[in-house]
Amino acid sequence: MTEEQIKEKLSNAFVRVVANYNGYKLTVPDDTGGVDFSVTYDRIQNRGGKTRHIQSGEYVELQLKSTEEHRVIFEETHLKYDLEAKTFNDLIERFQMGNAPLVLVLAVLPDNRADWASVGDDNLNMNQKVYFFYPDDTMELTENANTIRISIPFDNKIGVDFFQNIFEEHYG
């Protein structure tokens, strides 16, 4: 595999762990169209002593990107990343249409490849900082041909409650 493919697989693994830890389901769409994962969950119903899992009908889609620290600008409260203009416009268009959200997930790996992951006696360390970017109503499509610099607050660091929070924010 190329280094880009390895970085992609590591960011995918991180997202899978966070989703699965909280019972969310990840699927890979057949025709991706810029979507790496579609995320859903089941509602649990107890009727007549029987437990049923029923699909919620709510979903969030993710576009994953991975990079190394030297390709990101770290500032006091946020980081800046040069995102492909097409991807940015996809995020904005989905937001404006009011459909299920398309969320950018950015994994930032250390510059030293040897630090990307390690295995201890009782742990696996996936050494990456992972953030999300979701447009707001002040953002507009870009006419840039190649990239647009986005700003991601450090508060958008993904933790184990990420999926619960994003579903609550979008579906209330």
Side-chain angles (χ1 to χ4, degrees), residues 87-140:
T87 300
F88 179 81
N89 285 339
D90 289 347
L91 293 165
I92 299 299
E93 286 174 346
R94 285 285 293 276
F95 178 82
Q96 291 173 344
M97 291 181 347
N99 293 345
L102 176 61
V103 179
L104 175 73
V105 174
L106 176 66
V108 182
L109 286 82
D111 288 331
N112 183 355
R113 187 182 189 280
D115 294 332
W116 289 359
S118 62
V119 178
D121 289 339
D122 58 359
N123 69 333
L124 165 64
N125 181 15
M126 299 178 67
N127 192 11
Q128 50 188 301
K129 298 172 188 156
V130 185
Y131 302 91
F132 71 93
F133 174 81
Y134 184 64
D136 62 39
D137 54 9
T138 66
M139 297 178 185
E140 296 183 10

Side-chain angles (χ1 to χ4, degrees), residues 1 21-23 26 30 46 87 104 112 115 124 132 149:
M1 277 193 283
Y21 177 80
N22 287 298
L26 294 175
D30 290 336
N46 292 309
T87 300
L104 175 73
N112 183 355
D115 294 332
L124 165 64
F132 71 93
R149 184 161 288 170

Side-chain angles (χ1 to χ4, degrees), residues 43-160:
R43 295 186 192 276
I44 299 173
Q45 288 187 339
N46 292 309
R47 287 195 181 153
K50 293 185 178 185
T51 301
R52 295 183 57 200
H53 293 259
I54 300 170
Q55 289 186 353
S56 70
E58 300 171 346
Y59 68 98
V60 171
E61 293 183 323
L62 306 177
Q63 167 72 68
L64 276 61
K65 298 290 181 189
S66 58
T67 192
E68 293 168 78
E69 289 177 338
H70 73 275
R71 297 185 182 271
V72 175
I73 301 167
F74 291 95
E75 296 193 344
E76 190 173 319
T77 60
H78 59 278
L79 63 89
K80 292 186 177 182
Y81 174 70
D82 291 336
L83 180 65
E84 182 184 10
K86 180 202 172 301
T87 300
F88 179 81
N89 285 339
D90 289 347
L91 293 165
I92 299 299
E93 286 174 346
R94 285 285 293 276
F95 178 82
Q96 291 173 344
M97 291 181 347
N99 293 345
L102 176 61
V103 179
L104 175 73
V105 174
L106 176 66
V108 182
L109 286 82
D111 288 331
N112 183 355
R113 187 182 189 280
D115 294 332
W116 289 359
S118 62
V119 178
D121 289 339
D122 58 359
N123 69 333
L124 165 64
N125 181 15
M126 299 178 67
N127 192 11
Q128 50 188 301
K129 298 172 188 156
V130 185
Y131 302 91
F132 71 93
F133 174 81
Y134 184 64
D136 62 39
D137 54 9
T138 66
M139 297 178 185
E140 296 183 10
L141 297 173
T142 183
E143 293 183 15
N144 295 7
N146 297 315
T147 63
I148 182 169
R149 184 161 288 170
I150 61 171
S151 179
I152 304 174
F154 290 140
D155 289 346
N156 286 15
K157 189 170 185 183
I158 293 179
V160 294

